[in-house]
Amino acid sequence: MRQAGQQEKSEGKGLLSKPAVYLLRRLIGWTVAIALSGFLISRLNPDWRWEQVPFHSLIEGVGGFVALVVAYLLLKSPVLSRGLPEYIWVACALVGMGALDLFHAGLYPGRQFIWFHSLSNFVGGLLFALVWLPARFSNIAVTIRLPLFVFCGAAAIAILTLSVPQAVPAMKNDVDFSEIARFLNVTGGIGFIAAAIHFVRVATNNTFRFAPVLANHCLLFGISGLLFEFSMLWDAVWWEWHLLRLAAYGFILYFFYLSYICERNRYEGELRKLSQAVEANGEGVMITDMNGTIEYVNPAFTDITGYSVSELIGNNPRLLKSDVQDPKFYEQLWSTISSGRMWSGLLIDRKKDGSYYPARMAISPITGEAGEITHYVATQSDMTEYRKLEDQFRQAQKMESLGTLVGGIAHDFNNMLAAIDGNLYLASRYAENPVILQERLSNIQQLSGKAANMVQQLLTYARKDVVRMQPVSLRDVLQSTSKLADSLIPDNIVYDFQACAEELVVNADATQLQQLFINLINNACHAVSAVAEPKLVCLLEPVTADQAWLAKHPNLETKQLAHFSIADNGCGISRSNLDKIIEPFFTTKGVGEGTGLGLSMVYGSVQRHGGVFEVESEMGAGSTFHVYLPLMAEPAGAQSDNEALLPDVSGDGELILLVDDQEELLETNAYVLESMNYQVLKARNGEEALQLYCREKERIALVLSDIVMPKMSGVKLMETIWEMDNRLPAILVSGYDKLNDPLPTGQLARVRVLGKSNMVMELGSVLHMLLADGKHDKPLPVIDEGAVHG
């Protein structure tokens, strides 16, 4: 009640303008003048009479009509009724008085004439006095129907009175009103005075702006009821209290008029502010009808999509639909909003120029008075810049972990180089012993392969490319990443990796899973840095979620999950910080020891994969970080990143154009090709290779070229050659896993990209595959575009 009153006080501030206040003062002045005039006339000329039935009927008819109108407005106006719990008794009193006064206005003076007036005054005063009842009597559900019951009751009494006039008690003696008439009017007047006192008390507390008007209304009606005691039919006092009643109705009707103007101006102002807010909003806003036809878009929406207002109005939102989401996505969206619920999420839309952009959208249904859906309102934010910032954060965290990894890997790499150097020394000492020589060379080959794999893992982890979701074996990804993490974990930490036998195939981006795992390992290493016997335990297993757990995580679509956890016996996390650890840049580490992005990126990556991230921790007892990812319904026959290699076979004397700007590699690779029974043309850059090709193009069967070279890159070289012969196969060699220039889509079937670190091991089988069917006879087998790095 107090809050509602304060709201009403706020809404009523400045309700009456200066002209309105001036007019109200004049009306009060005229009321006082009428009261004094009637009193003076009755004293100066006690025998004055003015019998004017039509004028009297007009006054009573207008009063009765105004009473019913005000009661209706009071019942229908939430602004007025919600601020006064006892408004229901006011409405009942006005309904009863209005109905009886209308019957009274239609009669000529007589017994029934005075009876209707007296009964109206009595019923009105009695019902108005009920405002003193406690609020609980005003809020019961049955009181909502009370005004209708009162109206029906008043109408029934009126009909009974007109049907059986002899049942009406005597209302008038020879020249004066009867005692019962005086009792009914004076009692009603006392009831009005009591109600006026109540509303004055309410008005004094400033809890409801309608209270002063009701206090004035009741006061005037109370005075008129008491003046009935001193009046006679058609004398000055008799007319005086009629005019007081009319003035009371005039006050309350004028207040409602001002309330209507005020409310209309306020709503128009709010509507204008709302419209300006929507127009100026930085987020795109779109309103459609229930069938999805666009009816409104704000300027931000046109800026985001590139479409003009005229192009969008009357169209369907499918105009922005991209092919990234499958039909089930839109079916679920439409099912949600058509059932009356709000939908929100991320999707990829298409601009007018055909470019795609990530968008965060929220769609809410708009319902009518009957609860039916009439429109939909959608807000949309362009997430392009946010995604760029997110990628920068992710890359920053990745580089932080990578810097730590490099320090550990340098140690392992130096060990490998030392071992290679030792084996080379032994090979030179025992060059005449074939068995020992072959053993030493085999060791060198194994060590170089390990070094190449380590470099490849670092490049894969550090690469900065588009997230590619595909079926991957979580067990294989975590096992390979665990080997990489061995360089990150200090030697004094006991590290135990326990993996299940199942592959646990999930739909994920392998690189993001690697980063997620490294971030958790890095975080755990920091947590145990001050522990005497530090220990990390990683566990990977399949789990089946129960209904209670799924109810806490409604975003999960399956109960079959892959669960891996990393537990440490470190310092633990306080309860106050447990909810903050996933916030970007939050860290409890010292200055320079971390960016505060690690766990934030872990949480974001798990969310992106549709999984769940949970933390268990106790101060001084360690922490356990849990990651749950949905398992795919069917095992995926996903191949590894490296294709299965064909047996190493020799060539048939084909001519290979070999291109490399490094003299040592050029000579070494030429010897390797010649040992495989291929002929070799050597070029030291792209321009020289192009000249050789133009001279020997009828003989050249394949081009094997380095990618990064001065003057002309390997990709540019092949693009130029393919303009002359678009069927010529090629092998491009890269020292890392990213191409600066994309390969032409039409040539993906006749090109392979190899890494320099393991090129010799794969070269023979790749050459055999590309040259197996001849240079021009048949199309080469099409490969997956994703298999070509970059």
Side-chain angles (χ1 to χ4, degrees):
M1 171 67 185
R2 181 173 298 175
Q3 293 177 349
Q6 291 174 348
Q7 183 177 3
E8 291 300 323
K9 179 181 178 181
S10 175
E11 292 176 351
K13 187 176 180 180
L15 173 64
L16 302 182
S17 61
K18 289 184 178 180
V21 172
Y22 175 72
L23 181 58
L24 277 176
R25 287 175 179 174
R26 294 193 64 179
L27 288 174
I28 294 173
W30 279 107
T31 302
V32 173
I34 291 171
L36 291 176
S37 299
F39 182 78
L40 290 175
I41 293 174
S42 63
R43 289 296 177 266
L44 296 176
N45 190 3
D47 297 328
W48 182 85
R49 299 287 187 278
W50 186 48
E51 185 174 349
Q52 185 56 252
V53 176
F55 182 66
H56 168 269
S57 297
L58 177 64
I59 292 176
E60 295 293 342
V62 169
F65 177 75
V66 169
L68 293 178
V69 169
V70 169
Y72 175 80
L73 294 176
L74 184 61
L75 292 170
K76 289 295 183 179
S77 173
V79 176
L80 296 174
S81 59
R82 73 184 177 207
L84 191 68
E86 57 267 40
Y87 79 97
I88 194 71
W89 305 118
V90 176
C92 289
L94 293 172
V95 165
M97 293 168 60
L100 293 171
D101 280 343
L102 285 176
F103 280 100
H104 169 61
L107 297 174
Y108 280 92
R111 178 183 293 186
Q112 295 169 315
F113 176 84
I114 302 173
W115 164 255
F116 274 115
H117 167 77
S118 302
L119 193 60
S120 170
N121 214 31
F122 177 77
V123 169
L126 182 64
L127 291 175
F128 259 110
L130 293 180
V131 297
W132 281 97
L133 289 175
R136 65 177 181 273
F137 292 101
S138 305
N139 292 330
I140 56 176
V142 70
T143 58
I144 303 300
R145 300 181 180 87
L146 275 180
L148 179 61
F149 293 156
V150 171
F151 179 83
C152 294
I157 293 174
I159 294 173
L160 180 64
T161 299
L162 295 174
S163 302
V164 189
Q166 61 273 17
V168 177
M171 292 286 105
K172 191 174 180 299
N173 299 324
D174 293 336
V175 293
D176 201 359
F177 296 115
S178 66
E179 292 299 325
I180 190 169
R182 295 182 184 278
F183 171 79
L184 292 176
N185 282 277
V186 172
T187 303
I190 294 173
F192 281 118
I193 296 295
I197 296 173
H198 171 80
F199 289 124
V200 167
R201 183 179 63 87
V202 173
T204 304
N205 295 332
N206 292 321
T207 56
F208 187 53
R209 73 185 189 204
F210 193 29
V213 179
L214 288 177
N216 179 73
H217 176 85
C218 292
L219 181 62
L220 293 177
F221 263 85
I223 294 174
S224 68
L226 296 178
L227 286 177
F228 188 89
E229 176 71 22
F230 306 101
S231 67
M232 298 180 63
L233 192 61
W234 307 116
D235 71 352
V237 179
W238 190 86
W239 281 109
E240 179 185 3
W241 54 256
H242 275 82
L243 293 177
L244 290 176
R245 286 164 56 95
L246 185 62
Y249 281 128
F251 281 141
I252 201 169
L253 187 61
Y254 181 68
F255 171 82
F256 270 100
Y257 170 74
L258 291 179
S259 297
Y260 168 75
I261 297 297
C262 178
E263 290 301 313
R264 186 186 66 181
N265 293 339
R266 186 171 66 86
Y267 283 126
E268 287 179 354
E270 291 180 355
L271 185 61
R272 185 163 51 252
K273 285 190 294 185
L274 179 61
S275 176
Q276 292 173 350
V278 172
E279 288 286 314
N281 196 349
E283 293 188 348
V285 179
M286 173 180 63
I287 299 176
T288 72
D289 63 13
M290 62 179 299
N291 297 317
T293 302
I294 300 175
E295 295 184 353
Y296 169 81
V297 292
N298 70 339
F301 196 88
T302 60
D303 292 340
I304 292 173
T305 62
Y307 288 96
S308 65
V309 175
S310 59
E311 290 173 319
L312 290 168
I313 299 299
N315 217 317
N316 193 283
R318 69 173 63 96
L319 184 71
L320 307 173
K321 184 179 178 182
S322 68
D323 299 326
V324 177
Q325 290 84 214
D326 57 27
K328 289 184 179 179
F329 175 87
Y330 294 101
E331 290 176 6
Q332 182 183 10
L333 185 155
W334 184 254
S335 173
T336 301
I337 61 176
S338 60
S339 63
R341 294 173 294 159
M342 186 189 79
W343 179 92
S344 63
L346 291 172
L347 72 165
I348 304 296
D349 269 350
R350 183 176 57 191
K351 297 184 179 182
K352 183 180 179 180
D353 60 8
S355 62
Y356 290 176
Y357 67 98
R360 179 177 294 278
M361 178 175 284
I363 307 175
S364 302
I366 301 175
T367 56
E369 293 184 358
E372 78 285 1
I373 296 176
T374 60
H375 292 81
Y376 297 101
V377 57
T379 58
Q380 186 182 92
S381 301
D382 187 350
M383 303 295 290
T384 303
E385 293 301 321
Y386 177 84
R387 283 287 179 88
K388 290 180 180 178
L389 186 61
E390 187 181 46
D391 290 341
Q392 292 174 3
F393 284 165
R394 188 181 299 112
Q395 194 67 11
Q397 175 60 27
K398 188 184 294 184
M399 291 300 102
E400 178 188 343
S401 299
L402 191 61
T404 308
L405 280 173
V406 168
I409 286 176
H411 174 265
D412 293 344
F413 223 81
N414 287 330
N415 289 339
M416 292 179 190
L417 290 176
I420 290 174
D421 188 55
N423 277 282
L424 285 172
Y425 171 77
L426 292 174
S428 64
R429 287 285 302 271
Y430 298 96
E432 296 179 357
N433 189 330
V435 176
I436 296 179
L437 178 63
Q438 181 61 37
E439 183 181 342
R440 295 304 102 196
L441 293 176
S442 177
N443 285 344
I444 291 171
Q445 188 177 32
Q446 291 177 4
L447 288 168
S448 64
K450 288 182 179 179
N453 287 333
M454 186 175 292
V455 171
Q456 184 63 34
Q457 286 179 332
L458 278 175
L459 290 172
T460 302
Y461 178 73
R463 78 184 184 194
K464 186 178 179 182
D465 57 4
V466 178
V467 174
R468 187 176 66 178
M469 306 290 282
Q470 60 183 1
V472 296
S473 168
L474 184 61
R475 183 198 63 190
D476 294 346
V477 170
L478 293 188
Q479 282 180 338
S480 63
T481 310
S482 180
K483 295 177 182 178
L484 182 65
D486 282 338
S487 302
L488 172 68
I489 302 173
D491 294 337
N492 67 316
I493 298 178
V494 177
Y495 174 59
D496 184 15
F497 182 84
Q498 304 172 9
C500 59
E502 296 91 336
E503 284 195 345
L504 302 183
V505 178
V506 296
N507 186 37
D509 179 86
T511 304
Q512 283 209 3
L513 291 182
Q514 283 185 324
Q515 182 184 348
L516 184 155
F517 187 83
I518 291 294
N519 284 345
L520 289 176
I521 290 290
N522 190 27
N523 183 77
C525 288
H526 281 285
V528 299
S529 59
V531 178
E533 297 180 358
K535 184 177 181 180
L536 305 183
V537 178
C538 179
L539 175 65
L540 175 64
E541 62 181 352
V543 296
T544 300
D546 57 26
Q547 292 299 324
W549 196 82
L550 286 174
K552 295 193 300 182
H553 307 285
N555 60 306
L556 289 174
E557 298 180 356
T558 176
K559 60 174 64 176
Q560 304 301 325
L561 306 169
H563 167 234
F564 74 88
S565 61
I566 296 179
D568 64 70
N569 62 341
C571 57
I573 305 170
S574 65
R575 289 181 177 272
S576 59
N577 290 334
L578 203 56
D579 294 333
K580 301 177 183 178
I581 59 174
I582 61 174
E583 296 177 4
F585 303 110
F586 175 80
T587 179
T588 57
K589 302 172 187 176
V591 177
E593 296 182 2
T595 61
L597 294 172
L599 294 179
S600 172
M601 292 303 174
V602 169
Y603 176 76
S605 181
V606 173
Q607 291 291 105
R608 191 174 294 108
H609 285 79
V612 173
F613 179 60
E614 292 185 337
V615 183
E616 294 178 324
S617 185
E618 184 178 346
M619 287 296 295
S623 305
T624 303
F625 296 86
H626 301 272
V627 175
Y628 300 88
L629 298 177
L631 286 172
M632 297 191 69
E634 299 179 0
Q639 296 182 352
S640 61
D641 292 339
N642 298 323
E643 296 178 355
L645 301 178
L646 294 173
D648 189 3
V649 293
S650 298
D652 195 20
E654 294 93 341
L655 181 62
I656 307 297
L657 176 57
L658 179 64
V659 192
D660 202 306
D661 63 315
Q662 297 293 326
E663 187 69 29
E664 297 84 358
L665 283 177
L666 182 65
E667 295 299 328
T668 301
N669 291 335
Y671 282 127
V672 170
L673 290 172
E674 289 172 353
S675 72
M676 295 178 180
N677 197 28
Y678 292 104
Q679 300 181 56
V680 180
L681 276 177
K682 295 182 289 186
R684 290 163 179 79
N685 56 62
E687 292 182 353
E688 183 180 336
L690 188 58
Q691 294 173 3
L692 287 174
Y693 175 79
C694 292
R695 191 174 67 216
E696 302 288 346
K697 62 182 177 182
E698 297 300 328
R699 297 177 54 222
I700 294 174
L702 182 142
V703 177
L704 195 159
S705 174
D706 190 10
I707 292 176
V708 180
M709 297 184 296
K711 297 184 179 181
M712 180 182 288
S713 70
V715 175
K716 294 297 182 182
L717 169 64
M718 290 314 304
E719 288 179 347
T720 306
I721 291 177
W722 281 327
E723 290 178 358
M724 295 179 278
D725 183 1
N726 63 3
R727 303 298 299 277
L728 183 68
I731 297 176
L732 298 176
V733 183
S734 173
Y736 55 102
D737 67 340
K738 184 175 178 63
L739 295 177
N740 290 326
D741 302 311
L743 295 171
T745 304
Q747 299 298 337
L748 294 178
R750 46 190 56 85
V751 66
R752 292 294 184 271
V753 178
L754 299 180
K756 285 186 177 181
S757 59
N758 55 4
M759 183 191 74
V760 176
M761 303 297 295
E762 301 181 30
L763 187 57
S765 57
V766 173
L767 283 169
H768 177 82
M769 181 174 60
L770 291 175
L771 297 174
D773 294 328
K775 187 173 70 171
H776 297 290
D777 295 340
K778 297 179 182 179
L780 293 165
V782 177
I783 65 171
D784 179 14
E785 182 178 354
V788 180
H789 298 288

